[in-house]
Amino acid sequence: MKEEKGSEVCVLTSHRNRPRTTRIKKVQFLQNKAKLQSAISQSGDIKMTSANRKCSAVTGSARKIKDNVADWHNLMLRWEKLNENGFCVAANIVNIKLSRNKQRQQQLVDESTSSSSSSSPPALELQDECSKLHDIVVKMVAMVTKMEHLMTSQRGIRDLEEFQFGAEGRTSPLFHTWSTEQFESSSGFLWEAFSQELKLKQAVLQEVAHTTDPDLDMVFLSCWLHQPYTPPQTRQNLEALLLETGHRPL
């Protein structure tokens, strides 16, 4: 069996009686899926900078909401990049473990091989990859904290609108059709989705280096890549925010 080089994920083998080609196809599918998701996330990107934020004449609550939406866009782009990098690191961890297990099996056959000379380098490499994955999760924690601040900011705007205009709110929308309650609801939905996804990432970080079941390793990799707690509705929600606030043309 040949080992994949570069950024490609090495072939993962299972301890069960399963065709090797099936395992190869699964890993290649996950790898291609990661590349496709990266291409999709970058195809329709818009750059939100301080320069183009000043182009519009909106002020007050509308200005704050528009800035918050731009921050949501940037944070979600950075999240996707971290997710892609984390998947590559997690796959490296799984492959290192499989390599170590293969070496141990070989040592049982060939007793003349020294266990200390063959196990030390992979152990150091595994520790290094785990540190990389930990750093990625730490960055994700910081991003979710910023998302929470955006949600809190949006809630404050709604409270201000209620104080100024009463429980019924303003008579005309700030942008096209949305009320401040709808902006708050969308922010809360996005924050809740990424908060749950962060908990899943943290669980994978804690378990991926310790499990001995190759099939469970594949589950961890799939969960990290496909992000079950951030369904397509999260991207649709973001696009709706961009359209409503004028970041994307109608």
Side-chain angles (χ1 to χ4, degrees):
M1 180 174 62
K2 295 182 179 180
E3 182 178 0
E4 299 288 340
K5 297 182 179 180
S7 61
E8 295 183 355
V9 181
C10 298
V11 174
L12 306 181
T13 59
S14 174
H15 67 293
R16 299 182 178 179
N17 296 327
R18 181 175 298 174
R20 186 170 298 178
T21 55
T22 302
R23 181 68 61 181
I24 295 175
K25 290 180 180 179
K26 285 185 177 180
V27 178
Q28 290 176 343
F29 171 79
L30 292 176
Q31 181 183 359
N32 294 335
K33 181 70 174 179
K35 293 180 180 179
L36 178 60
Q37 288 180 343
S38 177
I40 292 176
S41 63
Q42 296 176 5
S43 60
D45 295 347
I46 56 176
K47 295 182 179 180
M48 302 296 178
T49 63
S50 58
N52 58 30
R53 284 182 179 180
K54 296 178 181 179
C55 294
S56 177
V58 295
T59 58
S61 297
R63 176 76 272 167
K64 183 61 177 177
I65 292 175
K66 193 168 186 178
D67 289 347
N68 287 347
V69 172
D71 291 337
W72 271 114
H73 177 268
N74 293 332
L75 286 172
M76 289 178 66
L77 286 182
R78 290 169 56 191
W79 177 279
E80 290 301 325
K81 183 62 178 177
L82 287 176
N83 185 70
E84 181 183 354
N85 295 340
F87 172 75
C88 294
V89 176
N92 290 338
I93 293 174
V94 171
N95 290 324
I96 291 172
K97 292 196 308 174
L98 293 175
S99 177
R100 291 180 63 184
N101 292 336
K102 184 178 179 180
Q103 289 180 358
R104 290 171 181 173
Q105 293 176 0
Q106 184 64 28
Q107 289 172 10
L108 295 177
V109 178
D110 186 5
E111 297 180 354
S112 63
T113 303
S114 174
S115 61
S116 60
S117 62
S118 61
S119 61
S120 180
L124 295 176
E125 186 179 2
L126 180 63
Q127 183 178 0
D128 182 61
E129 294 297 323
C130 290
S131 298
K132 292 179 182 179
L133 190 61
H134 176 268
D135 293 340
I136 291 175
V137 173
V138 168
K139 293 179 181 179
M140 287 181 165
V141 171
M143 292 180 63
V144 171
T145 301
K146 293 180 180 179
M147 291 177 179
E148 184 178 8
H149 291 163
L150 291 177
M151 182 198 64
T152 303
S153 173
Q154 195 60 54
R155 183 177 299 167
I157 294 174
R158 185 209 61 183
D159 294 339
L160 178 61
E161 292 285 307
E162 289 185 357
F163 176 77
Q164 292 177 332
F165 303 100
E168 296 181 357
R170 59 172 66 240
T171 57
S172 60
L174 290 172
F175 297 98
H176 296 290
T177 59
W178 282 27
S179 63
T180 53
E181 288 81 4
Q182 288 175 289
F183 284 107
E184 181 197 6
S185 176
S186 294
S187 295
F189 173 81
L190 292 174
W191 174 75
E192 181 66 25
F194 283 98
S195 296
Q196 294 298 322
E197 186 62 34
L198 175 62
K199 293 179 181 179
L200 177 60
K201 303 291 196 224
Q202 292 171 328
V204 173
L205 172 65
Q206 294 175 359
E207 301 295 336
V208 69
H210 303 289
T211 180
T212 58
D213 187 351
D215 288 336
L216 188 55
D217 287 331
M218 293 298 297
V219 172
F220 287 146
L221 292 179
S222 297
C223 288
W224 185 287
L225 175 62
H226 296 294
Q227 305 191 93
Y229 290 104
T230 56
Q233 287 81 356
T234 56
R235 183 67 186 185
Q236 295 171 3
N237 205 309
L238 175 64
E239 289 298 323
L241 288 169
L242 295 172
L243 288 171
E244 177 66 23
T245 53
H247 286 297
R248 292 202 194 279
L250 291 173

